[in-house]
Amino acid sequence: MLVILSLYHNLGFEKLYMRYICPRENKKKTQQNIEFVAKTIIYKFYGITIQMQYPLKYFILTIFLLLSFFSCTDSSDCFYVSNRKVRLTFVTANGKTIKDTTISKFSIVTSDSLPLYDTASGQQIGLPLSQVADTSTFYIAFDSIATDTLTFFYKRNLELISPECGFTTRFNLEHLKYSKNNITSVLFIDSYVDKDIEYGVNYKIVIRKRTDFKKK
Amino acid sequence: MTRYFSKISVSVVFMSIFSLANIGFAQIVKKDTVQKRLSIGIDIAKPVIYMIDKNKFEVEGSISYSNINNFNPIVEFGLENVELSQSDTIKTYEYQSDGKFFRIGFDYNTFRRNLFGENNMVFFGFRYGYANQNHSAKNIIINDKFWPKRYTSLSTQEIQTHWLELTSGIKVQFFKYFAAGWTVRFSYIIDQQNTSSVKPYYIPGIGKGAEKYNFGFTYSLYYTFPL
């Protein structure tokens, strides 16, 4: 229907209407009145009286309308449900300068001895936090020659992500306790554990240089 | 996407139906006069959406007064009931929310070229809104790949929300006493008292409750009569 109405207006049928149809119905009226009546009919045909008289306003309103439709829809953020991980980046320190570094070989297990990384290499890791406790502990073995312990303390919040995805647990990091075998210090970056942090960082873990690794 | 198109289609159909009813009602053009009128409106989009999506039931009405100055005071009010649930291997929950709301403010009519005796409007407006709701959830099970599953529930919590709203829209008269039109709404939550840390998924009168900013939409049928 709207397509037909658009053609009606855009292809000049409106003028034909005014010239041939309106005069027959409104012979005694002035041309100005005829045009106004015809235009009004057309405006109302669209159901939108401003469409032709206020094209800019109509455009803006249409954008608002479309935005409102999208805002009403449920964004399926189910990704977060299975990816609520605290993000860590390994760095080395040289004086006050820190530099991202890649660990060639490391393994990580949970406090329940569940392996998360097995002889992996990388610069950044994601550690899933427990939803049933306010702390989660992990053991990191660097190059199979030394092990450090990381214990995260956090607050848990319940959130309904969407009708499709259901509830999930949001984490706000409060504190990190760590051993100092091959970790020298920790830099806090962001407390919020979110899906967007996949490419960001919660903590930077400053490790000793490879040659300085302590033996087990 | 089917759902989006359904919502859009419903709106377009309504616009078309009410627009077609206008043909033949053109009258002699006279100097524009805006009479004092009272309009009683009901949002007809919400029941239609409920027929498509049974999770959320909403009713919304409005009373507005139009006068010669084109500043039209308006009061809007409504109820909302939300029932969401899922049960599969990944997640299980049952969520419920009941609430009511009102908005009070004005619409400024910028459309001055009405046919004699008609009351078409192109308006911009402002509202203050208040909503009170109770929400709760039970049988929540959140799966976990590495740690034990979380079993929890949310006892009934009361939430009060205050917000400000900018509105814009149109209202087209299609019979002597009847008009229809849509309103888009941009709302900003200024305050919320929540007895728990769990945000409501929907806030009555606003929509989704996760963000402070929200866009909304109503399509109303009005009974308008001169005073």
Side-chain angles (χ1 to χ4, degrees), chain A residues 23 25-30 34:
Chain A
E25 297 174 355
N26 307 286
K27 283 177 184 175
K28 295 179 182 177
K29 299 185 181 77
T30 63
I34 292 167

Side-chain angles (χ1 to χ4, degrees), chain A residues 145-180:
Chain A
I145 57 173
T147 300
D148 271 305
T149 304
L150 294 173
T151 302
F152 295 92
F153 295 82
Y154 47 83
K155 277 186 179 172
R156 293 173 290 149
N157 293 314
L158 201 60
E159 183 176 328
L160 179 56
I161 290 185
S162 72
E164 292 78 15
C165 304
F167 280 87
T168 192
T169 305
R170 295 275 188 190
F171 301 99
N172 269 300
L173 299 167
E174 292 186 319
H175 179 59
L176 171 57
K177 189 178 172 185
Y178 56 96
S179 63
K180 291 191 172 181

Side-chain angles (χ1 to χ4, degrees), chain A residues 80-90 106-111 114-118 120 123-131 135-142 148-154 169 171 173 176-178 183 186 191-194 197-198 200-205, chain B residues 144-147:
Chain A
Y80 181 80
V81 175
S82 56
N83 287 277
R84 39 179 181 258
K85 294 177 179 177
V86 57
R87 297 283 162 182
L88 310 176
T89 296
F90 297 119
F106 65 90
S107 298
I108 302 176
V109 296
T110 68
S111 55
L114 187 74
L116 298 176
Y117 293 87
D118 188 15
Q123 194 177 74
Q124 191 178 88
I125 57 173
L127 302 177
L129 300 174
S130 170
Q131 300 184 84
T135 63
S136 294
T137 299
F138 304 89
Y139 302 106
I140 306 180
F142 293 99
D148 271 305
T149 304
L150 294 173
T151 302
F152 295 92
F153 295 82
Y154 47 83
T169 305
F171 301 99
L173 299 167
L176 171 57
K177 189 178 172 185
Y178 56 96
I183 296 174
V186 166
S191 65
Y192 195 56
V193 180
D194 194 5
I197 209 73
E198 184 185 11
V201 179
N202 293 109
Y203 287 101
K204 289 192 174 183
I205 308 295
Chain B
D144 202 310
K145 289 181 192 171
F146 308 101
W147 301 95

Side-chain angles (χ1 to χ4, degrees), chain A residues 96-108:
Chain A
K96 288 186 178 178
T97 307
I98 62 167
K99 186 180 174 184
D100 289 356
T101 187
T102 300
I103 305 296
S104 58
K105 193 178 172 186
F106 65 90
S107 298
I108 302 176

